[in-house]
Amino acid sequence: MKLILLGAPGAGKGTQADILCKELDIPTISTGNILRAAIKNGTPTGMKAKAYMDAGKLVPDDVIIGIITERVAEEDCANGYILDGVPRTIAQAEAMEKAGIVFDAVVSIEISDETIMERMSGRRVCESCGASYHLVAVPPKQEGICDKCGGKLVQRKDDAPETVKARLEVYHKETEPLKAFYAQRGLLKSVENQPSVAETSQAILHALGR
């Protein structure tokens, strides 16, 4: 099964991708991870991407699509894969179609901006060991202190309210139009965010006819 996971930043795409890849026995392809791997392995497309990243520029669509095309041609993708973090724009989606990368379904996790603001603003990370907490969902035993190593818990810059707000604006402007793009192709499956991670996974599997 070849899937795309869509959803706003903080919608839980990464978490759901991990669960689905075990359930469906297919790899998750996260753009960030494959970019790093392509650079580490020194592939031609990886070296192209590195030049842009070293210059502090965004990696252009054709390079990203090139890296994804290389990755989905690998053996472990023979039975399918889950794309997380790409396509981000209609232009990327069109380029993937041109490159012959096809999908069986596009799952969009529907969640309100308010819920995301609450969810992200509650996230805390340990400065020392990197353990993650959430003030409401997974609170530390002692406020501001990591259960594992006693390190100080901090809010990542990415999770600060103004950053989250800006990321949501970009999502609504650039990525959300993909829902209509894939709905026209009969691939879109919208899944409402559920009270728990497990219930959301069940809802996604149900939408996929599992």
Side-chain angles (χ1 to χ4, degrees), residues 5 12-22 26-28 82 84:
L5 280 185
K13 296 184 298 297
T15 306
Q16 292 302 334
D18 288 346
I19 294 166
L20 289 171
C21 80
K22 292 185 187 87
I26 50 178
T28 295
I82 301 164
D84 171 22

Side-chain angles (χ1 to χ4, degrees), residues 15-176:
T15 306
Q16 292 302 334
D18 288 346
I19 294 166
L20 289 171
C21 80
K22 292 185 187 87
E23 278 290 332
L24 304 169
D25 197 23
I26 50 178
T28 295
I29 299 174
S30 134
T31 5
N33 293 349
I34 58 170
L35 268 174
R36 285 188 285 274
I39 290 165
K40 193 174 156 212
N41 299 334
T43 72
T45 331
M47 296 324 328
K48 254 194 211 167
K50 186 179 188 308
Y52 285 101
M53 286 159 85
D54 288 349
K57 293 179 181 163
L58 278 180
V59 182
D61 287 355
D62 60 331
V63 178
I64 295 224
I65 305 305
I67 286 178
I68 288 168
T69 309
E70 280 174 9
R71 180 67 186 86
V72 300
E74 287 176 30
E75 222 169 282
D76 64 339
C77 291
N79 295 323
Y81 43 80
I82 301 164
L83 278 193
D84 171 22
V86 71
R88 282 184 192 275
T89 59
I90 300 270
Q92 284 184 356
E94 288 173 343
M96 282 160 87
E97 281 188 352
K98 277 203 187 99
I101 303 173
V102 293
F103 300 97
D104 298 312
V106 176
V107 174
S108 174
I109 302 172
E110 302 297 332
I111 181 167
S112 72
D113 285 7
E114 293 75 37
T115 307
I116 285 178
M117 294 293 287
E118 277 167 30
R119 187 182 278 186
M120 306 279 262
S121 63
R123 291 209 285 208
R124 297 291 182 273
V125 182
C126 172
E127 263 184 338
S128 312
C129 75
S132 300
Y133 295 88
H134 191 281
L135 300 182
V136 181
V138 194
K141 292 191 179 80
Q142 198 178 339
E143 196 180 325
I145 293 171
C146 176
D147 297 350
K148 292 177 182 158
C149 75
K152 184 180 165 203
L153 298 185
V154 294
Q155 184 175 49
R156 283 187 350 197
K157 209 170 153 192
D158 264 10
D159 295 335
E162 55 278 14
T163 314
V164 175
K165 215 169 176 181
R167 288 171 69 199
L168 283 170
E169 276 169 22
V170 171
Y171 167 76
H172 290 308
K173 192 173 144 221
E174 295 184 0
T175 308
E176 201 161 29

